[in-house]
């Protein structure tokens, strides 16, 4: 009888461990994790992977879309981030995580139109099948992940919002992403490594 109780307890512990492991995997990356590379279609029809950027020092992977008012409010600032940091080896890689069936305004064709209207200077990729954003753990548009390219892979250095004022770029007090990239490039400690992403929920 005692043996059965011990076996039952062991089975319960194993089940709990499996459940906890699954939950951890589903929540996405934490600071210090190594991000898995991906291959997604750009608006020009070409497939894009992080490994294509042999000279990069890191990446600003930004989950964004056409239709969310928060994402639209940040478009110019995302363009500015790419202009400021691409030449320093940290390009913007924008990914639309929304399901076009749930949000027709975020279809691939509409992505091409929006990118042309705004003059996007960076890849704008469709997360077809919505397989990449869950790996990162993105929940909002926009949602930023700063990756540092190292010998061991692309390490997550910052997760969260672009800054502290989506409504008015002239009233921003904390430029979270810029501060994080500047510190990373200077080899210094990033003081704020995560913030709460402000935006629309990803549409599945």
């Amino acid at each position: 009888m005692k043996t059965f109780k011990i076996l039952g307890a062991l089975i319960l512990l194993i089940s709990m461990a499996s459940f906890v492991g699954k939950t951890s995997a589903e929540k996405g990356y934490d600071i210090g994790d190594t991000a898995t590379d991906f291959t997604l279609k750009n608006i020009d029809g070409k497939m894009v992977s992080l490994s294509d950027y042999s000279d990069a020092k890191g990446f600003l992977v930004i989950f964004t879309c056409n239709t969310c008012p928060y994402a639209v409010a940040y478009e110019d600032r995302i363009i500015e981030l790419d202009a400021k940091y691409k030449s320093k080896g940290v390009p913007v890689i924008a990914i639309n995580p929304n399901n076009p069936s749930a949000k027709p305004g975020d279809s691939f064709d509409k992505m091409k139109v929006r990118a042309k209207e705004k003059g996007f200077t960076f890849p704008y990729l469709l997360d077809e099948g919505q397989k990449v954003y869950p790996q990162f753990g993105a929940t909002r548009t926009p949602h930023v992940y700063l990756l540092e390219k190292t010998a061991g892979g692309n390490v997550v250095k910052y997760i969260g919002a672009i800054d502290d004022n989506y409504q008015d770029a002239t009233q921003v007090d904390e430029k979270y992403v810029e501060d994080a990239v500047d510190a990373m490039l200077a080899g210094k400690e990033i003081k704020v490594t995560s913030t709460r992403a402000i935006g629309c929920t990803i549409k599945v």
Side-chain angles (χ1 to χ4, degrees):
M1 189 70 177
K2 188 175 180 180
T3 303
F4 284 117
K5 286 183 179 179
I6 293 171
L7 283 172
L10 283 171
I11 291 168
L12 180 62
L13 283 170
I14 291 168
S15 298
M16 287 175 66
S18 298
F19 178 76
V20 170
K22 184 178 181 182
T23 303
S24 176
E26 287 177 345
K27 72 181 177 63
Y29 298 133
D30 287 322
I31 301 301
D33 288 348
T34 300
T36 303
D37 201 357
F38 50 77
T39 302
L40 296 174
K41 186 165 67 172
N42 190 17
I43 49 172
D44 61 4
K46 297 178 181 178
M47 304 305 289
V48 172
S49 300
L50 299 181
S51 57
D52 297 334
Y53 295 78
S54 57
D55 296 329
K57 296 177 182 177
F59 303 93
L60 282 170
V61 177
I62 303 179
F63 292 91
T64 186
C65 67
N66 300 340
T67 58
C68 171
Y70 297 88
V72 172
Y74 272 114
E75 283 176 330
D76 289 338
R77 276 173 272 185
I78 293 172
I79 293 169
E80 289 170 6
L81 285 171
D82 189 57
K84 182 174 183 177
Y85 292 112
K86 181 161 57 180
S87 61
K88 298 179 181 181
V90 187
V92 165
I93 308 293
I95 301 175
N96 174 13
N98 284 343
N99 181 353
S101 297
K103 203 71 175 177
D106 286 319
S107 70
F108 188 69
D109 286 339
K110 294 289 178 64
M111 287 171 61
K112 291 191 283 186
V113 171
R114 188 61 182 170
K116 186 175 181 179
E117 287 176 348
K118 293 298 296 183
F120 284 177
T121 55
F122 44 81
Y124 190 22
L125 315 178
L126 176 63
D127 188 3
E128 194 167 6
Q130 298 184 293
K131 296 175 182 178
V132 173
Y133 89 81
Q135 293 177 1
F136 277 76
T139 59
R140 304 278 170 177
T141 52
H143 205 152
V144 182
Y145 291 77
L146 170 61
L147 309 180
E148 181 177 24
K149 188 176 180 181
T150 73
N154 296 308
V155 178
V156 180
K157 304 296 286 187
Y158 171 82
I159 302 172
I162 291 172
D163 55 43
D164 66 352
N165 194 325
Y166 83 90
Q167 293 173 306
D168 188 349
T170 66
Q171 298 300 312
V172 169
D173 290 321
E174 299 286 342
K175 296 184 177 182
Y176 304 124
V177 167
E178 289 191 40
D179 290 346
V181 178
D182 288 342
M184 183 188 80
L185 290 175
K188 297 179 179 178
E189 179 185 356
I190 297 173
K191 293 181 179 179
V192 179
T193 56
S194 62
T195 58
R196 186 167 68 93
I198 304 296
C200 305
T201 57
I202 291 172
K203 304 300 184 287
V204 297

